[in-house]
Coordinates of all heavy atoms in Angstrom, one line a residue:
M223 N 132.2 87.8 116.7 CA 132.8 88.6 115.7 C 131.9 89.8 115.4 O 130.7 89.7 115.3 CB 132.9 87.8 114.4 CG 133.5 88.6 113.3 SD 133.7 87.5 111.8 CE 132.6 88.2 110.7
T224 N 132.5 91.0 115.4 CA 131.8 92.2 115.1 C 132.0 92.7 113.7 O 133.3 92.8 113.3 CB 132.2 93.3 116.1 OG1 132.0 92.8 117.4 CG2 131.4 94.6 115.9
T225 N 131.0 93.0 113.0 CA 131.2 93.5 111.7 C 130.9 95.0 111.6 O 129.9 95.5 112.2 CB 130.2 92.8 110.7 OG1 130.4 91.5 110.8 CG2 130.4 93.3 109.2
K226 N 131.9 95.8 111.1 CA 131.7 97.2 110.9 C 131.2 97.6 109.6 O 131.8 97.1 108.5 CB 133.0 97.9 111.2 CG 133.3 98.1 112.6 CD 134.1 99.4 112.9 CE 134.1 99.6 114.3 NZ 133.7 100.8 114.8
Y227 N 130.1 98.4 109.6 CA 129.6 98.9 108.3 C 129.9 100.4 108.2 O 129.8 101.1 109.2 CB 128.1 98.7 108.2 CG 127.7 97.2 108.2 CD1 127.3 96.6 109.4 CD2 127.8 96.5 107.1 CE1 127.1 95.2 109.4 CE2 127.5 95.2 107.0 CZ 127.1 94.5 108.2 OH 126.9 93.1 108.2
T228 N 130.3 100.8 107.0 CA 130.6 102.2 106.9 C 129.7 103.1 106.1 O 129.8 104.3 106.2 CB 132.1 102.3 106.1 OG1 131.9 101.6 104.9 CG2 133.1 101.6 106.9
S229 N 128.7 102.5 105.5 CA 127.8 103.4 104.8 C 126.4 102.8 104.7 O 126.2 101.5 105.0 CB 128.3 103.5 103.4 OG 128.1 102.3 102.6
I230 N 125.4 103.5 104.3 CA 124.0 103.0 104.2 C 124.0 102.0 103.1 O 123.2 100.9 103.2 CB 123.1 104.2 103.9 CG1 121.6 103.7 104.0 CG2 123.4 104.8 102.5 CD1 121.2 103.4 105.4
E231 N 124.8 102.1 102.1 CA 124.9 101.0 101.1 C 125.3 99.7 101.6 O 124.7 98.6 101.2 CB 125.8 101.5 99.9 CG 125.3 102.6 99.0 CD 125.3 104.0 99.7 OE1 126.1 104.1 100.7 OE2 124.7 104.9 99.2
D232 N 126.3 99.7 102.6 CA 126.6 98.5 103.2 C 125.4 97.8 104.0 O 125.3 96.6 103.8 CB 127.8 98.7 104.1 CG 129.1 99.0 103.4 OD1 129.2 98.7 102.2 OD2 130.0 99.5 104.1
L233 N 124.8 98.6 104.6 CA 123.6 98.1 105.4 C 122.6 97.6 104.5 O 122.0 96.5 104.7 CB 123.1 99.2 106.3 CG 124.0 99.6 107.5 CD1 123.5 100.9 108.2 CD2 124.1 98.5 108.5
L234 N 122.2 98.4 103.5 CA 121.2 97.9 102.6 C 121.5 96.7 101.8 O 120.7 95.8 101.5 CB 120.9 99.0 101.5 CG 120.2 100.2 102.1 CD1 120.1 101.3 101.0 CD2 118.8 99.9 102.6
A235 N 122.8 96.4 101.6 CA 123.3 95.2 100.9 C 123.0 94.0 101.8 O 123.0 92.9 101.2 CB 124.8 95.3 100.6
C236 N 122.8 94.1 103.0 CA 122.5 93.0 103.9 C 121.1 92.5 103.9 O 120.7 91.5 104.3 CB 122.8 93.4 105.4 SG 124.6 93.8 105.6
D237 N 120.2 93.4 103.3 CA 118.7 93.1 103.2 C 118.4 92.0 102.3 O 119.3 91.8 101.4 CB 117.9 94.3 102.8 CG 118.0 95.5 103.9 OD1 118.4 95.2 105.1 OD2 117.8 96.6 103.4
R238 N 117.4 91.4 102.5 CA 116.9 90.2 101.6 C 115.6 90.7 100.9 O 114.8 91.3 101.5 CB 116.8 88.9 102.3 CG 118.1 88.4 102.9 CD 118.9 87.8 101.8 NE 120.2 87.3 102.3 CZ 121.4 87.9 102.4 NH1 121.3 89.2 101.9 NH2 122.4 87.5 102.8
F239 N 115.4 90.3 99.7 CA 114.2 90.6 99.0 C 113.6 89.3 98.5 O 114.2 88.5 97.8 CB 114.5 91.6 97.8 CG 115.0 92.9 98.3 CD1 116.4 93.1 98.4 CD2 114.2 93.9 98.6 CE1 116.9 94.4 98.8 CE2 114.7 95.3 99.0 CZ 116.1 95.4 99.1
H240 N 112.3 89.2 98.7 CA 111.5 88.1 98.2 C 110.5 88.8 97.3 O 109.4 89.1 97.8 CB 110.9 87.4 99.4 CG 111.8 86.9 100.3 ND1 112.6 85.7 100.2 CD2 112.2 87.3 101.5 CE1 113.4 85.5 101.2 NE2 113.1 86.5 102.0
T241 N 110.9 89.0 96.1 CA 110.0 89.8 95.2 C 109.0 89.0 94.4 O 109.3 87.9 93.9 CB 110.9 90.5 94.2 OG1 111.9 91.3 94.9 CG2 110.1 91.5 93.3
D242 N 107.8 89.5 94.4 CA 106.7 88.9 93.7 C 106.7 89.5 92.3 O 106.2 90.6 92.1 CB 105.4 89.1 94.3 CG 104.2 88.4 93.7 OD1 104.4 87.9 92.5 OD2 103.1 88.3 94.2
E243 N 107.4 88.9 91.4 CA 107.6 89.6 90.1 C 106.3 89.6 89.2 O 106.3 90.4 88.3 CB 108.7 88.7 89.3 CG 110.1 89.0 90.0 CD 111.2 88.4 89.2 OE1 111.1 88.4 88.0 OE2 112.2 88.0 89.8
K244 N 105.4 88.7 89.5 CA 104.1 88.7 88.7 C 103.1 89.8 89.2 O 102.2 90.2 88.6 CB 103.6 87.4 88.7 CG 104.3 86.4 87.9 CD 103.7 85.0 87.9 CE 104.5 84.1 87.0 NZ 104.0 82.7 87.1
H245 N 103.2 90.2 90.5 CA 102.3 91.1 91.1 C 103.0 92.2 91.8 O 103.2 92.1 93.0 CB 101.4 90.3 92.2 CG 100.7 89.2 91.5 ND1 101.2 87.9 91.7 CD2 99.5 89.1 90.8 CE1 100.3 87.0 91.0 NE2 99.3 87.8 90.4
P246 N 103.5 93.3 91.1 CA 104.2 94.3 91.8 C 103.4 95.0 92.7 O 102.2 95.3 92.5 CB 104.7 95.2 90.5 CG 103.8 94.8 89.4 CD 103.4 93.4 89.6
H247 N 103.9 95.4 93.9 CA 103.1 96.1 94.8 C 103.0 97.6 94.6 O 102.2 98.3 95.2 CB 103.6 95.9 96.3 CG 105.0 96.4 96.5 ND1 106.1 95.8 95.9 CD2 105.5 97.5 97.2 CE1 107.2 96.6 96.2 NE2 106.8 97.6 97.0
I248 N 103.8 98.1 93.6 CA 103.8 99.5 93.2 C 103.5 99.5 91.7 O 104.3 98.9 90.9 CB 105.0 100.3 93.5 CG1 105.2 100.3 95.1 CG2 104.9 101.7 93.0 CD1 106.5 100.9 95.5
V249 N 102.5 100.2 91.2 CA 102.2 100.3 89.8 C 102.2 101.8 89.5 O 101.5 102.6 90.1 CB 100.9 99.6 89.4 CG1 100.6 99.8 87.9 CG2 101.0 98.1 89.7
V250 N 102.9 102.2 88.5 CA 103.0 103.5 88.1 C 102.3 103.7 86.8 O 102.4 103.0 85.8 CB 104.5 104.1 87.9 CG1 104.6 105.5 87.4 CG2 105.3 103.9 89.2
D251 N 101.3 104.8 86.7 CA 100.6 105.0 85.6 C 101.4 105.9 84.7 O 101.5 107.1 84.8 CB 99.3 105.8 85.9 CG 98.4 106.1 84.7 OD1 98.8 106.1 83.6 OD2 97.2 106.3 85.0
S252 N 102.2 105.3 83.7 CA 103.1 106.0 82.9 C 102.4 107.0 82.0 O 103.1 108.0 81.7 CB 103.9 105.0 82.1 OG 103.1 104.2 81.3
R253 N 101.2 106.8 81.6 CA 100.6 107.8 80.7 C 100.4 109.2 81.5 O 100.7 110.2 81.0 CB 99.2 107.2 80.2 CG 98.6 108.1 79.2 CD 97.3 107.4 78.6 NE 96.4 107.1 79.7 CZ 95.5 107.9 80.2 NH1 95.5 109.1 79.8 NH2 94.7 107.5 81.1
R254 N 99.8 109.0 82.7 CA 99.6 110.2 83.6 C 100.9 110.8 84.0 O 101.1 112.0 84.2 CB 98.7 109.9 84.7 CG 97.3 109.6 84.3 CD 96.3 109.5 85.4 NE 96.3 110.8 86.2 CZ 96.1 110.9 87.5 NH1 95.9 109.8 88.2 NH2 96.1 112.0 88.0
C255 N 101.9 109.9 84.2 CA 103.2 110.3 84.7 C 103.8 111.2 83.8 O 104.7 112.2 84.1 CB 104.1 109.1 85.0 SG 105.7 109.4 85.4
A256 N 103.7 111.0 82.5 CA 104.3 111.8 81.4 C 103.9 113.3 81.5 O 104.7 114.1 81.1 CB 103.9 111.2 80.0
A257 N 102.8 113.6 82.1 CA 102.3 115.0 82.2 C 102.9 115.6 83.5 O 102.7 116.9 83.7 CB 100.8 115.0 82.2
C258 N 103.5 114.9 84.3 CA 104.0 115.5 85.6 C 105.3 116.2 85.3 O 106.3 115.5 84.9 CB 104.2 114.4 86.7 SG 104.9 114.9 88.2
T259 N 105.5 117.4 85.7 CA 106.7 118.2 85.5 C 107.7 118.2 86.6 O 108.9 118.4 86.5 CB 106.4 119.6 85.1 OG1 105.6 120.2 86.1 CG2 105.7 119.7 83.7
S260 N 107.1 117.9 87.9 CA 108.0 118.0 89.0 C 108.8 116.6 89.3 O 109.9 116.6 89.7 CB 107.2 118.3 90.3 OG 106.2 117.4 90.5
R261 N 108.1 115.5 89.2 CA 108.7 114.2 89.3 C 109.4 114.1 90.5 O 110.7 113.8 90.5 CB 109.5 113.8 88.0 CG 108.6 113.6 86.9 CD 109.2 112.9 85.7 NE 108.3 112.6 84.7 CZ 108.7 112.1 83.5 NH1 109.9 112.0 83.2 NH2 107.7 111.7 82.7
P262 N 108.9 114.2 91.7 CA 109.7 114.1 93.0 C 110.2 112.7 93.3 O 111.1 112.5 94.1 CB 108.7 114.6 94.0 CG 107.3 114.4 93.4 CD 107.5 114.6 91.9
C263 N 109.6 111.7 92.6 CA 110.0 110.4 92.8 C 111.4 110.2 92.5 O 112.2 109.3 93.0 CB 109.1 109.4 92.0 SG 108.9 109.8 90.3
L264 N 111.9 110.9 91.4 CA 113.2 110.7 90.9 C 114.3 111.0 92.0 O 115.4 110.3 92.1 CB 113.5 111.6 89.7 CG 112.8 111.3 88.4 CD1 113.0 112.4 87.4 CD2 113.3 109.9 87.9
T265 N 114.1 111.9 92.9 CA 115.1 112.3 93.8 C 114.8 111.8 95.2 O 115.6 111.9 96.1 CB 115.3 113.8 93.9 OG1 114.0 114.4 94.1 CG2 115.9 114.3 92.6
S266 N 113.6 111.3 95.5 CA 113.2 110.9 96.8 C 113.3 109.4 97.2 O 113.4 109.0 98.3 CB 111.8 111.4 97.2 OG 110.9 110.7 96.3
C267 N 113.4 108.6 96.2 CA 113.4 107.1 96.4 C 114.8 106.8 97.0 O 115.8 106.9 96.3 CB 113.1 106.4 95.2 SG 113.3 104.6 95.4
P268 N 114.9 106.3 98.2 CA 116.2 105.9 98.7 C 116.9 104.8 98.0 O 118.1 104.6 98.1 CB 115.9 105.6 100.2 CG 114.5 105.2 100.3 CD 113.8 105.9 99.2
A269 N 116.1 103.9 97.3 CA 116.6 102.8 96.5 C 117.0 103.2 95.1 O 117.4 102.3 94.3 CB 115.7 101.7 96.6
H270 N 116.6 104.4 94.7 CA 116.9 104.9 93.3 C 116.2 104.0 92.3 O 116.8 103.6 91.3 CB 118.4 105.0 93.0 CG 119.2 105.8 94.1 ND1 119.0 107.1 94.3 CD2 120.0 105.4 95.0 CE1 119.7 107.5 95.2 NE2 120.4 106.5 95.7
L271 N 115.0 103.7 92.6 CA 114.2 102.8 91.6 C 113.5 103.6 90.6 O 113.0 102.9 89.6 CB 113.2 101.9 92.4 CG 113.8 101.1 93.5 CD1 112.8 100.3 94.2 CD2 114.9 100.1 92.9
Y272 N 113.4 104.9 90.6 CA 112.8 105.7 89.5 C 113.9 106.4 88.8 O 114.8 107.0 89.3 CB 111.9 106.8 90.1 CG 110.7 106.3 90.8 CD1 110.7 105.9 92.2 CD2 109.4 106.1 90.2 CE1 109.6 105.3 92.7 CE2 108.3 105.6 90.7 CZ 108.4 105.2 92.1 OH 107.3 104.8 92.7
T273 N 113.9 106.2 87.5 CA 114.9 106.7 86.6 C 114.2 107.4 85.4 O 113.1 107.1 85.1 CB 116.0 105.8 86.2 OG1 115.2 104.7 85.5 CG2 116.7 105.2 87.3
Q274 N 114.9 108.4 84.8 CA 114.3 109.1 83.6 C 115.2 108.8 82.4 O 116.5 108.9 82.5 CB 114.2 110.5 84.0 CG 113.5 111.3 82.9 CD 113.2 112.7 83.3 OE1 112.9 112.9 84.5 NE2 113.4 113.7 82.4
D275 N 114.6 108.5 81.4 CA 115.3 108.2 80.1 C 115.8 109.5 79.6 O 115.0 110.5 79.4 CB 114.3 107.6 79.0 CG 115.0 107.1 77.8 OD1 115.7 108.0 77.1 OD2 114.9 106.0 77.5
L276 N 117.1 109.6 79.4 CA 117.7 110.9 78.9 C 117.3 111.3 77.5 O 117.4 112.5 77.2 CB 119.2 110.9 79.1 CG 119.8 110.7 80.5 CD1 121.2 110.6 80.5 CD2 119.3 111.9 81.4
Q277 N 116.9 110.3 76.7 CA 116.6 110.6 75.4 C 115.2 111.1 75.2 O 115.0 112.2 74.6 CB 116.7 109.3 74.5 CG 118.1 108.7 74.4 CD 119.1 109.6 73.7 OE1 118.8 110.2 72.8 NE2 120.2 109.8 74.4
D278 N 114.2 110.4 75.7 CA 112.8 110.9 75.5 C 112.1 111.4 76.8 O 111.0 111.8 76.7 CB 111.9 109.7 74.9 CG 111.8 108.5 75.8 OD1 112.3 108.6 77.0 OD2 111.3 107.5 75.4
G279 N 112.9 111.4 77.9 CA 112.3 112.0 79.1 C 111.3 111.0 79.8 O 110.8 111.4 80.9
S280 N 111.1 109.9 79.4 CA 110.1 109.0 80.0 C 110.6 108.4 81.3 O 111.8 108.3 81.5 CB 109.7 107.8 79.0 OG 110.8 107.0 78.8
L281 N 109.7 108.1 82.2 CA 110.0 107.6 83.5 C 110.0 106.2 83.6 O 109.2 105.5 83.0 CB 109.1 108.2 84.6 CG 109.4 107.9 86.0 CD1 110.0 109.1 86.7 CD2 108.3 107.3 86.7
H282 N 111.0 105.6 84.2 CA 111.1 104.1 84.4 C 111.1 103.8 85.8 O 111.7 104.4 86.6 CB 112.4 103.6 83.7 CG 112.4 103.8 82.2 ND1 111.8 103.0 81.3 CD2 112.9 104.9 81.5 CE1 112.0 103.4 80.1 NE2 112.7 104.7 80.2
F283 N 110.4 102.7 86.1 CA 110.4 102.2 87.5 C 110.4 100.7 87.6 O 109.9 100.0 86.7 CB 109.0 102.7 88.1 CG 108.8 102.1 89.5 CD1 109.6 102.5 90.6 CD2 107.9 101.1 89.7 CE1 109.4 101.8 91.8 CE2 107.6 100.5 91.0 CZ 108.4 100.8 92.0
D284 N 111.2 100.3 88.5 CA 111.3 98.8 88.7 C 111.1 98.5 90.2 O 111.8 99.1 91.1 CB 112.7 98.3 88.3 CG 112.8 96.8 88.3 OD1 111.9 96.1 88.9 OD2 113.7 96.3 87.8
H285 N 110.1 97.7 90.6 CA 109.8 97.5 92.1 C 110.8 96.6 92.7 O 110.8 96.4 93.9 CB 108.4 97.0 92.2 CG 108.1 95.6 91.8 ND1 108.2 95.2 90.4 CD2 108.0 94.5 92.5 CE1 107.9 93.9 90.4 NE2 107.9 93.4 91.6
L286 N 111.7 95.9 92.0 CA 112.6 95.1 92.5 C 113.6 95.9 93.3 O 114.2 96.8 92.8 CB 113.4 94.3 91.5 CG 112.6 93.5 90.5 CD1 113.4 92.7 89.4 CD2 111.7 92.5 91.2
G287 N 113.8 95.6 94.6 CA 114.7 96.3 95.5 C 114.0 97.4 96.3 O 114.7 98.2 97.0
C288 N 112.6 97.4 96.2 CA 111.8 98.3 96.9 C 112.1 98.2 98.4 O 111.9 97.1 98.9 CB 110.4 98.3 96.6 SG 109.3 99.4 97.5
L289 N 112.2 99.2 99.2 CA 112.4 99.2 100.7 C 111.1 99.4 101.4 O 111.0 99.3 102.6 CB 113.4 100.3 101.1 CG 114.8 100.2 100.4 CD1 115.6 101.4 100.7 CD2 115.5 98.9 101.0
E290 N 110.0 99.6 100.7 CA 108.7 99.7 101.2 C 108.5 100.9 102.2 O 107.9 100.8 103.2 CB 108.2 98.4 101.9 CG 108.2 97.2 101.0 CD 108.0 95.9 101.7 OE1 107.4 95.9 102.8 OE2 108.5 94.9 101.2
C291 N 109.3 101.9 102.0 CA 109.2 103.1 102.9 C 108.0 104.0 102.6 O 107.6 104.7 103.5 CB 110.5 103.9 102.7 SG 110.7 104.7 101.1
G292 N 107.4 103.9 101.4 CA 106.2 104.7 101.1 C 106.6 106.1 100.6 O 105.6 106.9 100.4
T293 N 107.8 106.4 100.6 CA 108.2 107.9 100.2 C 107.6 108.3 98.9 O 107.1 109.3 98.7 CB 109.7 108.1 100.2 OG1 110.2 107.7 101.5 CG2 110.1 109.5 99.8
C294 N 107.7 107.4 97.9 CA 107.2 107.7 96.5 C 105.7 108.0 96.5 O 105.2 108.9 95.8 CB 107.6 106.6 95.5 SG 107.0 105.0 95.9
R295 N 105.0 107.2 97.3 CA 103.5 107.4 97.4 C 103.2 108.8 97.9 O 102.4 109.5 97.4 CB 102.9 106.3 98.2 CG 101.4 106.5 98.4 CD 100.8 105.4 99.2 NE 101.4 105.2 100.5 CZ 100.9 104.5 101.5 NH1 99.8 103.7 101.2 NH2 101.5 104.3 102.6
F296 N 103.9 109.1 98.9 CA 103.7 110.4 99.6 C 104.1 111.6 98.7 O 103.3 112.5 98.5 CB 104.4 110.5 100.9 CG 104.3 111.7 101.7 CD1 103.1 112.0 102.4 CD2 105.3 112.7 101.6 CE1 103.0 113.2 103.1 CE2 105.1 113.9 102.3 CZ 104.0 114.2 103.0
V297 N 105.3 111.6 98.2 CA 105.7 112.8 97.4 C 105.0 112.9 96.1 O 104.7 113.9 95.6 CB 107.2 112.8 97.1 CG1 108.0 112.8 98.3 CG2 107.6 111.5 96.3
C298 N 104.5 111.8 95.5 CA 103.7 111.8 94.3 C 102.4 112.4 94.6 O 101.9 113.3 93.8 CB 103.6 110.5 93.7 SG 102.6 110.4 92.2
A299 N 101.8 112.1 95.7 CA 100.4 112.6 96.0 C 100.5 114.1 96.3 O 99.6 114.9 96.1 CB 99.8 111.8 97.1
V300 N 101.6 114.5 97.1 CA 101.7 115.9 97.5 C 102.4 116.8 96.5 O 101.9 117.9 96.3 CB 102.5 115.9 98.9 CG1 102.8 117.4 99.3 CG2 101.8 115.1 99.9
M301 N 103.4 116.4 95.9 CA 104.1 117.2 94.9 C 103.9 116.9 93.5 O 104.2 117.7 92.6 CB 105.6 117.2 95.2 CG 106.0 117.6 96.7 SD 107.6 117.2 97.1 CE 108.6 118.2 96.0
G302 N 103.5 115.7 93.2 CA 103.3 115.3 91.8 C 101.9 115.4 91.3 O 101.1 116.4 91.6
K303 N 101.4 114.3 90.8 CA 100.0 114.2 90.3 C 99.3 113.1 91.1 O 99.7 111.9 91.0 CB 99.9 114.0 88.8 CG 100.6 114.9 88.0 CD 99.6 115.8 87.3 CE 100.3 116.8 86.4 NZ 99.4 117.9 86.1
Q304 N 98.3 113.4 91.9 CA 97.8 112.4 92.7 C 97.2 111.2 91.8 O 96.6 111.4 90.8 CB 96.5 113.0 93.4 CG 96.0 112.2 94.5 CD 95.8 113.0 95.9 OE1 95.6 114.1 95.8 NE2 95.8 112.3 97.0
G305 N 97.4 110.0 92.4 CA 96.9 108.8 91.8 C 97.7 108.2 90.7 O 97.4 107.1 90.1
I306 N 98.9 108.8 90.5 CA 99.8 108.1 89.5 C 100.4 106.9 90.0 O 100.5 105.9 89.2 CB 100.9 109.1 89.0 CG1 100.4 110.2 88.2 CG2 102.0 108.4 88.3 CD1 101.4 111.2 87.9
I307 N 100.7 106.8 91.3 CA 101.4 105.7 91.9 C 100.3 104.9 92.7 O 99.8 105.5 93.6 CB 102.6 106.1 92.7 CG1 103.6 106.7 91.9 CG2 103.1 104.9 93.6 CD1 104.8 107.3 92.7
Q308 N 100.1 103.7 92.3 CA 99.2 102.8 93.1 C 100.1 102.0 93.9 O 101.0 101.3 93.5 CB 98.4 101.9 92.1 CG 97.5 102.6 91.1 CD 96.4 103.4 91.9 OE1 95.8 103.0 92.8 NE2 96.3 104.7 91.4
W309 N 100.0 102.1 95.3 CA 100.9 101.5 96.2 C 100.3 100.7 97.2 O 99.2 101.0 97.8 CB 101.6 102.7 96.9 CG 102.9 102.4 97.6 CD1 104.1 102.8 97.2 CD2 103.1 101.8 98.9 NE1 105.1 102.4 98.0 CE2 104.5 101.8 99.1 CE3 102.3 101.3 99.8 CZ2 105.1 101.2 100.2 CZ3 102.9 100.7 100.9 CH2 104.2 100.7 101.1
S310 N 100.7 99.5 97.4 CA 100.3 98.6 98.5 C 101.5 97.8 99.0 O 102.5 97.7 98.4 CB 99.1 97.7 97.9 OG 99.7 96.9 96.9
Y311 N 101.3 97.3 100.2 CA 102.4 96.3 100.7 C 102.4 95.1 99.8 O 101.4 94.7 99.4 CB 102.1 96.1 102.2 CG 102.5 97.2 103.1 CD1 101.6 98.0 103.7 CD2 104.0 97.6 103.3 CE1 101.9 99.0 104.5 CE2 104.2 98.6 104.1 CZ 103.3 99.3 104.7 OH 103.6 100.4 105.5
P312 N 103.5 94.5 99.8 CA 103.6 93.2 99.1 C 102.8 92.2 99.8 O 102.5 92.3 100.9 CB 105.1 92.8 99.1 CG 105.8 94.1 99.4 CD 104.9 94.9 100.2
K313 N 102.5 91.1 99.0 CA 101.6 90.1 99.6 C 102.5 89.4 100.7 O 103.8 89.4 100.7 CB 101.2 89.0 98.6 CG 100.2 89.6 97.6 CD 99.5 88.5 96.8 CE 100.5 87.7 96.0 NZ 99.9 86.8 95.0
R314 N 101.9 88.7 101.6 CA 102.6 88.0 102.7 C 103.7 87.1 102.2 O 103.4 86.4 101.2 CB 101.5 87.2 103.5 CG 102.0 86.8 104.8 CD 100.8 86.2 105.6 NE 101.3 85.6 106.8 CZ 100.6 84.9 107.6 NH1 99.4 84.6 107.3 NH2 101.1 84.4 108.7
T315 N 104.8 87.1 102.8 CA 106.0 86.4 102.5 C 106.8 87.0 101.4 O 107.9 86.5 101.0 CB 105.8 84.9 102.2 OG1 105.1 84.8 100.9 CG2 104.9 84.1 103.2
S316 N 106.3 88.1 100.8 CA 107.0 88.8 99.8 C 107.6 90.1 100.4 O 107.1 90.5 101.5 CB 106.2 89.1 98.6 OG 105.7 88.0 97.9
G317 N 108.5 90.7 99.7 CA 108.9 92.0 100.1 C 110.4 92.0 100.7 O 111.1 91.0 100.6
V318 N 110.7 93.1 101.3 CA 112.0 93.3 101.9 C 112.1 92.7 103.4 O 111.1 92.7 104.1 CB 112.4 94.8 102.0 CG1 111.5 95.6 102.9 CG2 113.9 94.9 102.4
Q319 N 113.2 92.1 103.7 CA 113.5 91.6 105.0 C 114.7 92.4 105.5 O 115.8 92.1 104.9 CB 113.7 90.1 105.0 CG 114.1 89.6 106.3 CD 114.4 88.1 106.3 OE1 115.0 87.6 105.3 NE2 114.1 87.4 107.3
Y320 N 114.5 93.2 106.4 CA 115.7 94.0 106.9 C 116.5 93.2 107.8 O 116.0 92.4 108.7 CB 115.2 95.3 107.7 CG 114.6 96.4 106.8 CD1 113.2 96.5 106.6 CD2 115.4 97.2 106.1 CE1 112.7 97.4 105.7 CE2 115.0 98.1 105.2 CZ 113.6 98.3 105.1 OH 113.0 99.2 104.2
R321 N 117.8 93.4 107.7 CA 118.7 92.6 108.5 C 119.4 93.5 109.6 O 119.7 93.0 110.7 CB 119.9 92.0 107.6 CG 119.3 91.0 106.6 CD 118.9 89.7 107.4 NE 118.3 88.7 106.5 CZ 119.0 87.8 106.0 NH1 120.3 87.7 106.2 NH2 118.4 86.9 105.3
Y322 N 119.7 94.7 109.2 CA 120.5 95.6 110.2 C 119.8 97.0 110.4 O 120.5 98.0 110.1 CB 121.9 95.7 109.8 CG 122.7 94.4 110.0 CD1 122.8 93.6 108.9 CD2 123.1 94.0 111.3 CE1 123.6 92.3 109.1 CE2 123.7 92.8 111.4 CZ 124.0 92.0 110.4 OH 124.6 90.8 110.5
G323 N 118.6 97.1 110.6 CA 118.0 98.3 110.9 C 117.3 98.9 109.7 O 117.0 98.3 108.7
Ligands
SF4_848 FE1 111.5 103.7 96.6 FE2 110.3 103.8 99.0 FE3 108.8 103.9 96.8 FE4 110.0 101.6 97.4 S1 108.4 102.7 98.6 S2 109.9 102.7 95.4 S3 111.9 102.4 98.2 S4 110.4 105.5 97.6

């Protein structure tokens, strides 16, 4: 049987996540983040894990569903404020398991 996928969302829905909820592999320094005006993480994360509160402008992040692409670490260091995002790979047996690419 051949399954046809029509979008990136369909492919991502096939992935499995073994999330270590007690030890997030990405930690955002929200105090320093508040001073960043560019916030490239908001538009660059392919999983849309960075969001901004429309009322007070604060940034919210949830590591659940992270694809471990490293984009946020890169754009934060280059376009944002260096050192706001502490990034490491999840511990062994945790993290994303890709199913279709
Ligand atoms: Fe998003 Fe990639 Fe950063 Fe994970 S590593 S939070 S998927 S940009």
Side-chain angles (χ1 to χ4, degrees):
M223 181 174 110
T224 303
T225 305
K226 279 215 168 234
Y227 296 99
T228 57
S229 68
I230 189 69
E231 287 78 14
D232 288 342
L233 290 169
L234 290 173
C236 298
D237 295 337
R238 294 286 179 265
F239 296 91
H240 305 280
T241 304
D242 184 349
E243 296 188 28
K244 292 184 178 169
H245 305 97
H247 65 289
I248 299 174
V249 177
V250 179
D251 184 338
S252 57
R253 190 176 55 79
R254 292 188 62 211
C255 176
C258 177
T259 55
S260 58
R261 292 191 170 170
C263 52
L264 288 172
T265 53
S266 62
C267 174
H270 308 292
L271 299 180
Y272 291 87
T273 57
Q274 186 168 323
D275 188 303
L276 295 176
Q277 299 295 318
D278 64 10
S280 61
L281 187 105
H282 298 274
F283 172 70
D284 188 348
H285 74 285
L286 305 180
C288 175
L289 301 168
E290 299 169 31
C291 66
T293 302
C294 59
R295 175 177 60 172
F296 178 78
V297 297
C298 182
V300 174
M301 301 168 65
K303 300 254 185 206
Q304 193 134 24
I306 290 177
I307 296 177
Q308 301 299 315
W309 200 102
S310 60
Y311 283 108
K313 290 194 303 190
R314 196 170 176 190
T315 71
S316 296
V318 63
Q319 178 184 34
Y320 286 100
R321 295 292 177 92
Y322 291 98

